[in-house]
């Protein structure tokens, strides 16, 4: 047992942890957190180091998401607000033609606003700025006590900025575009800025539309992108793109890592702000947080967006590049998901779907009813063919073909809907390497797969599994089956494996049968790496058939699966 922050020096144990680069300035230039653990026994030192690691994680997250207000922050925030206010006002002035009387009325109204703000400044009454000051600080994730000296100073600065913005817009309304406010702190901010970077939500809408139009995003990815936008805009505010800094992205990632999983599904999380949700997970460590895969997905979407913004000329740097670093694997890749054991397979094929169930609505209860539908066939095909669920679930009857006496599945992608009515999505694959021919295993043929296909043709069915309909955000044919199979597994006592584990089983069986790695890749839809992958044109169908038929499991045959 070890801890990566625990060090031993001269017989004494020390906790040492590097401070993230984006927080070094906030720690006064300090680069490490160091605490002596004295001569604690090794096991106790490890427990203490783990506790300190959690505490330091919370400290880093808090410093990113709840920053104290500095003088530099204050002037920068108000200057940005003045620049945005003047730019928005200029657009408003130029959008509608006004009569002389309307223009004069606007100028007089503006003068009245300026006098009120100046009077508030003269009497040191900053309450007029409370709402705007709070909103600006909240947008930047900064905390300042309104009653504190720094809070009062910031509110006075907001009032000064409001005078500068109002004076500038008043002059522009009167036709004076050379005007500069008397307050030097805001002269450059109030100057006509010409072309400005768009706001986050406006730019993201264009980014998203381009990706969807180019076919780069499927519906599920477009949905994920909307989620990423919602989370990032709530975390960092909806600002002009050139107003974000790398620290904003760091704070966003830290927030994601502390956000509870399934926040949209559990009643306890409904209506809560991101800050409230993060506080809940920190108060209750037993709450499950977002998976590293989900955090990576949202962080990568934000990085892709800022990369696109650089290409558009909106900003000069991708501030989200490499901010998120995925945690190192704690298990080997081939141990992340289990394959099915022979005992589990025997349990599956002895369960009611194969031995007899009460009805199609009560498939997990023993009875005399057997129907060879998708729920019956898909586990069989998944076990003896190294295919992904959706590759099998979206098959059309026409995808089952025969060549040189070999029956095979023609797995490919296209944009054609299943039955011509425009409702079913086209065939979709994970990658170009997934396009392939997969011969049908001898056991599937012994079980009557060809006869099943013949019956579907006789009925003029387009889909091989007509009872499956597209579902979920991604509109996948395997969506409902996947959930159904998960419930069925648990009902018959099968835990620790899922449908995708069948693919692991099939590939493992090919490896144990000593099938050539290139043929395994060809059958499973993986790219052959290196120069061989570039020059090789693949194996012939008979060789693929021999490889598929080499898949076997102890005690699993057609007689076990089809008891009657």
């Amino acid at each position: 047992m070890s801890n990566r922050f625990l060090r031993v020096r001269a017989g004494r144990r020390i906790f040492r942890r590097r401070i993230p680069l984006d927080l070094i300035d906030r720690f006064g230039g300090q680069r490490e957190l160091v605490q002596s653990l004295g001569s604690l026994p090794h096991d106790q030192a490890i427990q203490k180091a783990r506790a300190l690691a959690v505490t330091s994680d919370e400290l880093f997250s808090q410093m990113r998401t709840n920053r104290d207000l500095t003088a530099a922050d204050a002037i920068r925030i108000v200057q940005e607000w003045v620049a945005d206010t003047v730019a928005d006002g200029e657009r408003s002035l130029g959008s509608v033609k006004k009569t002389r009387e309307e223009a004069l009325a606007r100028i007089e109204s503006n003068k009245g606003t300026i006098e009120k703000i100046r009077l508030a400044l003269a009497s040191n009454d900053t309450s007029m700025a409370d709402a705007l000051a709070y909103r600006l600080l909240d947008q930047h994730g900064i905390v300042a006590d309104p009653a504190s000296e720094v809070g009062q100073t910031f509110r006075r600065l907001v009032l000064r900025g409001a005078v500068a913005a109002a004076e500038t817009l008043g002059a522009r309304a009167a036709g004076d575009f050379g005007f500069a406010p008397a307050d030097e702190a805001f002269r450059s901010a109030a100057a006509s800025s010409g072309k400005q970077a768009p706001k986050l939500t406006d730019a993201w809408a264009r980014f998203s539309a381009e990706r969807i139009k180019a076919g780069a995003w499927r519906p599920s990815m477009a949905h994920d992108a909307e989620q990423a936008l919602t989370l990032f805009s709530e975390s960092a505010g909806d600002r002009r793109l050139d107003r974000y800094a790398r620290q904003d992205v760091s704070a966003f990632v830290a927030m994601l890592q502390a956000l509870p999983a399934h926040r949209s599904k559990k009643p306890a999380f409904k209506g809560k702000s991101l800050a409230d949700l993060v506080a809940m997970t920190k108060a209750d460590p037993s709450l499950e947080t977002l998976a590293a895969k989900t955090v990576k997905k949202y962080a990568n979407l934000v990085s892709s967006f800022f990369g696109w913004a650089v290409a558009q000329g909106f900003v000069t740097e991708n501030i989200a590049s490499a901010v998120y670093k995925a945690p190192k694997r704690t298990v080997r890749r081939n141990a992340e998901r289990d394959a099915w054991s022979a005992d589990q397979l025997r349990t599956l094929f002895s369960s009611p779907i194969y031995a007899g169930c009460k009805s199609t609505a009560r498939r997990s209860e023993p009875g005399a009813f057997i129907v060879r539908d998708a729920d019956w066939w898909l586990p069989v095909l998944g076990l003896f063919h190294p295919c992904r669920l959706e590759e099998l679930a979206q098959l059309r009857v026409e995808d089952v073909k025969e060549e040189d006496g070999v029956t095979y599945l023609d797995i490919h992608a296209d944009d054609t809907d299943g039955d011509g009515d425009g409702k079913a999505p086209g065939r979709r694959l994970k990658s170009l390497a997934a396009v392939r021919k997969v011969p049908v295993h001898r056991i599937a043929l012994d079980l009557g797969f060809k006869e099943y296909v013949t019956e579907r043709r006789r009925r003029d069915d387009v889909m091989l599994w007509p009872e499956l309909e597209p579902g979920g955000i991604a509109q996948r044919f395997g969506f409902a089956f996947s959930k159904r199979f998960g419930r069925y597994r648990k009902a018959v006592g099968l835990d620790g494996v899922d449908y995708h584990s069948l693919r692991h089983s099939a590939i493992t069986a090919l490896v144990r049968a000593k099938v050539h790695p290139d043929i395994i890749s060809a059958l499973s839809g993986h790219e052959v790496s290196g120069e061989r992958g570039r020059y090789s044109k693949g194996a012939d169908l008979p060789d693929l058939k021999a490889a598929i038929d080499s898949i076997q499991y102890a005690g699993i045959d057609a007689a076990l699966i089809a008891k009657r």
Side-chain angles (χ1 to χ4, degrees):
M1 194 163 59
S2 63
N3 185 282
R4 61 194 177 105
F5 302 126
L6 188 61
R7 303 286 184 271
V8 179
R9 294 288 184 273
R12 299 181 68 80
R13 306 192 196 287
I14 301 171
F15 173 85
R16 297 185 66 173
R17 184 173 188 180
R18 289 183 180 178
I19 294 170
L21 293 176
D22 61 302
L23 294 179
I24 287 175
D25 287 345
R26 302 208 65 214
F27 278 86
Q30 182 180 335
R31 294 184 172 272
E32 279 189 323
L33 296 178
V34 181
Q35 181 169 327
S36 173
L37 304 182
S39 54
L40 280 176
H42 184 65
D43 288 349
Q44 291 182 31
I46 286 177
Q47 293 299 323
K48 181 68 173 176
R50 287 178 176 170
L52 288 171
V54 172
T55 301
S56 57
D57 279 338
E58 292 176 352
L59 175 64
F60 295 155
S61 177
Q62 186 176 21
M63 292 189 76
R64 285 184 175 119
T65 56
N66 293 305
R67 298 166 51 203
D68 293 329
L69 181 64
T70 66
D73 283 333
I75 190 65
R76 175 180 58 82
I77 290 170
V78 181
Q79 284 175 340
E80 288 179 1
W81 176 79
V82 170
D84 288 343
T85 301
V86 170
D88 290 343
E90 283 187 346
R91 282 192 291 272
S92 176
L93 286 172
S95 61
V96 181
K97 186 176 181 180
K98 298 178 177 62
T99 64
R100 183 174 181 277
E101 289 73 18
E102 288 173 333
L104 290 173
R106 180 162 188 163
I107 292 170
E108 288 303 314
S109 174
N110 204 57
K111 289 179 179 178
T113 300
I114 294 170
E115 288 306 314
K116 287 181 182 178
I117 300 172
R118 282 180 171 156
L119 182 59
L121 279 168
S123 58
N124 205 27
D125 178 10
T126 60
S127 60
M128 193 178 192
D130 283 352
L132 178 56
Y134 177 83
R135 178 166 61 85
L136 292 176
L137 291 176
D138 186 57
Q139 285 177 351
H140 289 77
I142 293 176
V143 174
D145 181 359
S148 68
E149 183 178 347
V150 70
Q152 289 293 327
T153 300
F154 181 70
R155 280 156 177 73
R156 285 187 60 82
L157 196 59
V158 168
L159 291 176
R160 285 169 54 192
V163 169
E167 285 179 337
T168 303
L169 288 174
R172 304 274 165 87
D176 181 3
F177 286 84
F179 173 84
D183 195 328
E184 292 185 4
F186 302 107
R187 283 184 181 175
S188 60
S192 183
S193 55
K195 187 177 180 181
Q196 294 180 328
K199 281 193 170 183
L200 173 67
T201 49
D202 295 334
W204 195 289
R206 180 176 159 187
F207 166 66
S208 181
E210 286 185 10
R211 290 294 185 272
I212 293 171
K213 186 175 181 180
W217 284 355
R218 295 176 179 176
S220 58
M221 182 62 86
H223 176 266
D224 290 339
E226 286 303 309
Q227 289 292 305
L229 168 63
T230 299
L231 290 167
F232 186 72
S233 60
E234 184 172 345
S235 172
D238 183 16
R239 295 183 265 159
R240 276 175 34 190
L241 299 189
D242 56 351
R243 300 290 167 78
Y244 293 106
R246 198 169 180 81
Q247 290 88 336
D248 294 313
V249 184
S250 295
F252 168 66
V253 170
M255 178 275 297
L256 289 177
Q257 292 172 319
L259 204 61
H262 315 297
R263 68 188 186 285
S264 62
K265 297 179 181 179
K266 295 186 177 180
F269 300 147
K270 293 288 179 68
K272 297 284 194 302
S273 68
L274 295 183
D276 291 337
L277 293 172
V278 169
M280 291 174 71
T281 61
K282 289 186 175 176
D284 183 0
S286 67
L287 288 176
E288 181 187 0
T289 54
L290 289 185
K293 183 178 179 181
T294 305
V295 174
K296 179 181 179 181
K297 174 175 63 180
Y298 291 145
N300 284 350
L301 279 165
V302 171
S303 181
S304 295
F305 167 72
F306 277 104
W308 170 86
V310 171
Q312 303 301 314
F314 297 147
V315 291
T316 58
E317 177 193 5
N318 181 354
I319 58 170
S321 176
V323 168
Y324 175 72
K325 293 183 179 179
K328 291 183 178 180
R329 293 180 182 274
T330 56
V331 297
R332 295 177 62 180
R333 290 184 66 190
N334 65 356
E336 290 180 340
R337 191 189 299 262
D338 290 332
W340 288 66
S341 68
D343 287 342
Q344 288 173 320
L345 291 174
R346 281 190 285 274
T347 298
L348 174 65
F349 294 123
S350 299
S351 66
I353 279 184
Y354 298 95
C357 61
K358 282 202 171 181
S359 68
T360 53
R362 301 166 73 181
R363 300 295 283 267
S364 61
E365 299 177 37
F369 188 79
I370 293 178
V371 57
R372 295 196 177 191
D373 57 1
D375 287 22
W376 195 96
W377 276 109
L378 285 175
V380 174
L381 295 180
L383 180 63
F384 291 102
H385 306 82
C387 298
R388 302 172 180 91
L389 171 58
E390 190 62 15
E391 292 172 346
L392 297 173
Q394 68 182 357
L395 285 171
R396 278 59 166 168
V397 174
E398 67 181 13
D399 294 334
V400 183
K401 299 179 179 179
E402 189 167 323
E403 183 180 317
D404 297 330
V406 177
T407 303
Y408 68 92
L409 307 177
D410 182 13
I411 297 177
H412 64 286
D414 64 23
D415 295 325
T416 306
D417 64 272
D419 53 12
D421 64 0
K423 295 181 180 178
R427 303 172 181 86
R428 295 178 296 190
L429 299 179
K430 186 174 182 180
S431 66
L432 288 174
V435 177
R436 63 200 189 279
K437 295 177 180 179
V438 180
V440 178
H441 195 281
R442 52 185 170 79
I443 288 182
L445 296 175
D446 291 344
L447 289 169
F449 182 69
K450 284 181 70 173
E451 290 75 12
Y452 172 85
V453 176
T454 299
E455 178 62 16
R456 297 271 73 82
R457 286 198 177 103
R458 187 186 68 78
R459 296 187 180 189
D460 290 329
D461 287 327
V462 173
M463 306 302 295
L464 192 58
W465 323 107
E467 68 272 23
L468 297 185
E469 295 182 354
I473 295 168
Q475 288 292 283
R476 298 185 186 278
F477 282 96
F479 177 78
F481 167 80
S482 179
K483 293 183 176 297
R484 207 160 53 241
F485 184 71
R487 292 192 296 269
Y488 180 80
R489 262 193 315 102
K490 293 176 182 176
V492 299
L494 288 167
D495 293 316
V497 288
D498 54 19
Y499 187 88
H500 196 69
S501 299
L502 295 170
R503 176 170 158 88
H504 287 242
S505 298
I507 294 175
T508 300
L510 288 168
V511 171
R512 291 174 178 173
K514 296 181 172 56
V515 174
H516 193 283
D518 289 6
I519 292 182
I520 296 177
S521 294
L523 289 170
S524 56
H526 289 148
E527 200 76 57
V528 177
S529 61
E531 288 299 298
R532 190 168 70 252
R534 177 183 178 189
Y535 288 102
S536 173
K537 305 309 175 189
D540 293 329
L541 200 56
D543 292 332
L544 297 176
K545 169 64 173 170
I548 278 289
D549 283 344
S550 73
I551 295 176
Q552 57 183 341
Y553 308 93
I556 308 299
D557 55 20
L560 173 70
I561 298 171
K563 295 174 179 58
R564 56 188 175 89

